[in-house]
């Protein structure tokens, strides 16, 4: 059962349960994909139906932002906890290294996916990275072919939203991959090009604030967090 927050559906699962569910989907065969909506996604999805559909048709949807959890509480259907997509991917890759699953890294500027590959192989000994592709491509076909030829089981799709969700929903099934997850700027983090907030900030639900201090240009994007709470309060008052 999914929990709907302002028109976007979420799974109310712990981080471990998310990884177990993903592992079962991968073992089950067929194509499945996961999304990691934050407050910015929710507001964009209100206005963009194709994006909303791509989010809501996902097999797994994790609240990647404390703002989503706050909004769920305001709406009176609280989600258990925040599940950062990047932590989910890290645990999934640990499982992949143990079970010999094949990983493909898609996204970011040229060279970044390869740097991420080196770092991830070090972090997860035995991890099978079978291919990489940068994220600024015009045609889908060569990317689909690269994933097919690599016989990837799992693809980390890091193209930013809504591009990555639309891409997974449209092209995922023909790549032969079993599972994809949209992860925004995660390859930049794995490659060491951008840094995440220290753990204490993450635990305090202040990762957004750390990112803002590091990159003040994000102010417009960050303003989405309080706005989503205002929308949640409005929806609650209307009894939605
Ligand atoms: N990106 C890409 N192709 C595009 C647009 C963006 O590969 O056409 C990459 C970009 O280089 C960055 C990521 O997608 O690595 C998006 O980062 P963003 O800051 O939006 O992610 P988030 O804040 O969601 O982690």
């Amino acid at each position: 059962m999914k929990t709907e927050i302002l028109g976007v559906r979420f799974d109310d699962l712990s981080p471990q349960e998310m990884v177990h569910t993903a592992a079962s989907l991968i073992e089950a065969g067929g194509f499945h994909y996961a999304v990691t909506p934050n407050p910015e996604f929710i507001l964009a999805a209100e206005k963009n139906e194709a994006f909303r559909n791509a989010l809501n048709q996902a097999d797994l949807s994790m609240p990647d932002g404390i703002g989503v959890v706050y909004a769920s509480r305001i709406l009176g259907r609280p989600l258990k906890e925040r599940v950062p997509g990047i932590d989910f991917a890290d645990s999934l890759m640990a499982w992949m290294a143990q079970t010999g699953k094949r990983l493909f890294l898609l996204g970011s500027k040229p060279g970044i996916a390869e740097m991420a590959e080196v770092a991830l192989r070090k972090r997860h000994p035995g991890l099978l990275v079978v291919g990489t592709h940068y994220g600024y491509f015009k045609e889908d076909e060569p990317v689909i072919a690269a994933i097919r030829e690599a016989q990837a089981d799992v693809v980390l799709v890091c193209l930013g939203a809504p591009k990555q969700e639309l891409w997974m929903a449209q092209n995922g099934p023909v790549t032969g991959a079993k599972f994809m997850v949209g992860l925004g700027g995660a390859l930049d983090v794995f490659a060491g090009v951008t840094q995440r907030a220290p753990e204490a900030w993450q635990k305090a639900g202040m990762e957004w604030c750390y990112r803002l201090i590091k990159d003040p240009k994000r102010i417009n994007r960050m303003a989405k967090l309080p706005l989503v709470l205002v929308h949640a309060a409005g929806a609650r008052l209307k009894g939605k």
Side-chain angles (χ1 to χ4, degrees):
M1 236 225 4
K2 307 257 181 189
T3 302
E4 195 184 308
I5 308 292
L6 299 171
V8 176
R9 299 164 69 205
F10 289 89
D11 288 284
D12 188 17
L13 300 174
S14 70
Q16 293 82 353
E17 289 167 336
M18 290 285 183
V19 176
H20 287 152
T21 307
S24 313
L25 292 173
I26 295 164
E27 296 293 12
F31 174 70
H32 299 91
Y33 71 97
V35 293
T36 60
N38 61 26
E40 205 180 347
F41 286 43
I42 293 179
L43 294 179
E46 279 179 354
K47 298 192 196 122
N48 181 340
E49 193 185 349
F51 182 31
R52 190 165 66 242
N53 289 339
L55 289 173
N56 287 340
Q57 281 157 18
D59 300 279
L60 203 54
S61 172
M62 54 201 90
D64 186 355
I66 198 69
V68 180
V69 177
Y70 290 155
S72 74
R73 290 183 191 153
I74 291 172
L75 285 162
R77 29 181 188 274
L79 292 166
K80 277 196 206 81
E81 59 187 304
R82 183 172 88 102
V83 182
I86 198 157
D87 293 343
F88 164 82
D90 194 53
S91 304
L92 189 69
M93 286 186 285
W95 173 80
M96 290 179 68
Q98 282 166 14
T99 52
K101 298 287 182 283
R102 301 165 69 83
L103 178 68
F104 193 101
L105 305 173
L106 171 61
S108 199
K109 300 194 179 96
I112 301 290
E114 291 74 18
M115 283 167 69
E117 171 183 352
V118 172
L120 290 171
R121 280 182 196 273
K122 230 184 246 168
R123 182 165 167 80
H124 300 289
L127 183 66
L128 278 175
V129 182
V130 294
T132 56
H133 198 289
Y134 63 91
Y136 295 84
F137 51 89
K138 295 232 160 54
E139 307 211 331
D140 294 331
E141 273 315 314
V143 182
I144 293 168
I147 296 171
R148 279 203 83 83
E149 276 156 30
Q151 297 181 11
D153 294 307
V154 175
V155 186
L156 306 187
V157 184
C158 302
L159 306 173
K163 188 171 174 183
Q164 61 200 12
E165 288 73 22
L166 298 171
W167 203 87
M168 291 190 292
Q170 190 186 331
N171 301 304
V174 294
T175 60
K178 300 189 178 80
F179 186 80
M180 292 186 179
V181 52
L183 286 176
L187 289 182
D188 303 314
V189 175
F190 293 141
V193 178
T194 56
Q195 269 81 40
R196 281 188 83 186
E199 214 171 312
W201 290 64
Q202 292 179 33
K203 287 215 171 101
M206 297 293 280
E207 188 159 16
W208 61 273
C209 180
Y210 182 88
R211 292 180 85 176
L212 183 58
I213 294 166
K214 288 275 170 190
D215 185 5
K217 286 196 300 293
R218 293 180 76 95
I219 186 72
N220 284 340
R221 296 179 62 175
M222 294 291 161
K224 305 281 163 64
L225 194 153
L227 199 54
V228 103
L229 304 185
V230 172
H231 283 211
R236 181 76 194 253
L237 286 173
K238 284 188 203 140
K240 280 190 192 166

